[in-house]
Amino acid sequence: HPPPAMAGNNALLFDTDVAFASLSAATGLASTMLLFLVCFFASVPITMLMAYVPGTRTRQLYSFLTGFVLLYTAFGEGVKHIYMPAMLSYAFMALAPTHCGLLTWATVFPYLISVHAQNASGDTWKEGGMDFT
């Protein structure tokens, strides 16, 4: 049985359990859930700033980098399980656009289900942890 995902998130420059201790005690939410909420609400102004980013390629890079930082901050090393299936889906769209939905469904969906089962995500959630699934 794996430990709760991101307990004391070491992916950041600070320990979330320490940083969110008082807020966690006041709200009854685990520090990992509070960090997720911070990232969730931070995505709104970050998205609004995109209006000031010039050029298509620059916007794409901005979107990728800010998305990656928010996901990595919220989920730590588990972010690899988000980006690998996404890259596979994009490859299907580029290489087989008429069949990309079926190919993605047949490969990515079973992968995420298996990772969800391996991580015992329901148990992690009950213990106050969060993961990418």
Side-chain angles (χ1 to χ4, degrees):
H1 179 356
M6 286 184 40
N9 189 356
N10 294 326
L12 300 176
L13 298 175
F14 59 91
D15 186 347
T16 56
D17 288 339
V18 174
F20 292 118
S22 61
L23 187 57
S24 182
T27 61
L29 294 173
S31 62
T32 54
M33 291 181 189
L34 290 171
L35 183 61
F36 174 81
L37 287 173
V38 167
C39 291
F40 179 77
F41 288 118
S43 69
V44 175
I46 288 171
T47 302
M48 292 171 71
L49 288 174
M50 191 162 152
Y52 301 103
V53 177
T56 303
R57 294 280 184 219
T58 312
R59 284 178 179 225
Q60 290 171 344
L61 183 61
Y62 176 82
S63 296
F64 176 79
L65 291 176
T66 57
F68 182 81
V69 167
L70 287 171
L71 286 171
Y72 190 80
T73 301
F75 300 113
E77 294 294 322
V79 76
K80 65 185 171 204
H81 294 290
I82 297 170
Y83 276 99
M84 295 308 276
M87 290 189 322
L88 183 61
S89 297
Y90 276 106
F92 289 149
M93 285 189 274
L95 300 173
T98 57
H99 302 291
C100 64
L102 179 61
L103 290 169
T104 299
W105 177 81
T107 57
V108 172
F109 194 59
Y111 171 75
L112 291 175
I113 288 173
S114 69
V115 171
H116 181 74
Q118 287 172 354
N119 286 349
S121 295
D123 293 337
T124 301
W125 180 263
K126 289 176 192 173
E127 295 170 5
M130 285 193 63
D131 68 6
F132 57 92
T133 60

